[in-house]
Amino acid sequence: MAKRAARFKRRGLMFVLSSPSGAGKTTISRQLLADDDNLQLSISATTRPKRPSERDGVDYHFVDHGGFERMVSNGEMLEHAVVFGNRYGTPRAPVEKALAAGRDVLFDIDWQGTQQVYSKMPDDVVRVFVLPPSVEELARRLHTRAQDSDEVVAQRMAKAADEMSHYDAYDYIIVNEQVERAVAQAKAILTAERQRLKRLVGLDGFVKGLRGGA
Ligand code: 5GP
C-alpha cells in the first residue's frame, strides 16, 4: 500500500484486540498488519513455552521467570498479567516510540492487560473485543488448532467463558462469523479512530495555515 506524506502530525493509537482463544483474533491481527504499513504489532514477553510454529522475537519474546521479573521490576512493562498460569507482558519502550512517531500499535492482550493500559493511557487506547459466532464454533476452532495438548484445550474452553464476561469493558465488538467481514470491520474502526481530533496534534498549525495565518 502506498504511503502518503502526512500534512500534519498525528499521535499514534493503541489498537487493542482481545478475545477468548479460538475466536479468530490472530487471523484478524495478521491480516490487519499485512494490509497496513502504519500498523505494527506489540511483541509481548511471555514465560509460556514456545509452540512449534512460533518464532522468538517475532510472535513473542520468550523469557524465563527471572527475565520476566527483571523487566517488571525495572519498570519496563506497560502492563503484565498471568494468563493460563503463564506470565505475559507488554514492553513499554517500543510502544512509546511508535506513538510519538505517529505509528499505530496493535496489541493482542487479554482483558487484564487492556484494563491496565486503558487506565494508564486512556486517550491512546482503542479497545476491540472479538466474539466467536457460537459456542460450537469456538469449540471447533480450539480443537482444529491442536497445537496445544488436550488438557490445554480443555482449560482454554473453560477460560473462554470467563474471558467473554469482560466484553462490556471494550469500546467495539466484532462477532467473527466470517473472517473477511471481521477484518473489514476492524479496518473501519481503525480508519475512524485515526481521524479523532485528539490524535491530530499538529492540526492547529495546519488550520492556521489554511486560514492564512489568522
Ligand atoms: P497465547 O498463549 O495463546 O498466545 O495467548 C494467551 C492469552 O494471553 C491471549 O488471550 C492473549 O491475548 C494474552 N496475551 C498475550 N500477550 C499478552 C500481554 O502482553 N499481556 C496480556 N495481559 N495478555 C497477553
Side-chain angles (χ1 to χ4, degrees):
M1 194 183 273
K3 228 179 177 171
R4 282 213 355 239
R7 282 165 299 183
F8 46 84
K9 215 167 136 46
R10 173 173 75 81
R11 181 166 167 79
L13 59 82
M14 300 164 73
F15 197 75
V16 176
L17 269 188
S18 300
S19 77
S21 14
K25 171 185 54 175
T26 309
T27 315
I28 297 171
S29 303
R30 286 208 186 111
Q31 197 59 49
L32 288 177
L33 290 164
D35 292 350
D36 196 317
D37 281 349
N38 203 54
L39 187 65
Q40 70 185 55
L41 180 67
S42 165
I43 302 170
S44 298
T46 184
T47 59
R48 159 166 86 59
K50 194 171 85 58
R51 295 180 188 136
S53 65
E54 291 176 326
R55 281 183 297 159
D56 188 22
V58 176
D59 300 289
Y60 281 104
H61 300 290
F62 294 97
V63 296
D64 60 17
H65 282 275
F68 194 99
E69 193 45 48
R70 261 194 307 282
M71 291 178 81
V72 172
S73 51
N74 290 343
E76 290 170 31
M77 294 294 200
L78 198 52
E79 60 78 32
H80 58 95
V82 175
V83 187
F84 311 122
N86 295 303
R87 301 187 78 180
Y88 294 82
T90 302
R92 177 194 301 274
V95 177
E96 287 178 347
K97 194 171 159 204
L99 297 186
R103 290 181 58 79
D104 304 309
V105 186
L106 176 66
F107 297 80
D108 175 344
I109 61 176
D110 82 330
W111 65 274
Q112 306 171 78
T114 306
Q115 262 180 11
Q116 292 173 47
V117 291
Y118 184 73
S119 67
K120 282 184 184 158
M121 303 165 88
D123 283 345
D124 294 319
V125 175
V126 178
R127 298 164 297 179
V128 182
F129 199 85
V130 182
L131 287 170
S134 66
V135 70
E136 292 79 15
E137 182 59 19
L138 179 66
R140 198 188 63 75
R141 289 178 192 171
L142 275 178
H143 281 284
T144 44
R145 177 190 283 194
Q147 277 196 44
D148 293 308
S149 67
D150 282 355
E151 190 195 332
V152 172
V153 170
Q155 196 188 14
R156 280 171 188 234
M157 202 58 205
K159 288 273 182 186
D162 177 54
E163 178 83 21
M164 285 189 283
S165 72
H166 299 283
Y167 74 92
D168 59 352
Y170 286 75
D171 303 305
Y172 296 95
I173 303 296
I174 294 176
V175 178
N176 183 17
E177 182 141 30
Q178 207 237 338
V179 73
E180 289 81 11
R181 196 178 323 140
V183 169
Q185 288 172 344
K187 285 182 181 175
I189 296 164
L190 189 53
T191 301
E193 286 286 344
R194 282 172 169 163
Q195 300 312 120
R196 300 274 297 228
L197 177 61
K198 64 184 176 187
R199 306 194 208 292
L200 307 181
V201 288
L203 187 63
D204 196 38
F206 178 70
V207 174
K208 275 204 178 98
L210 291 176
R211 300 177 66 213

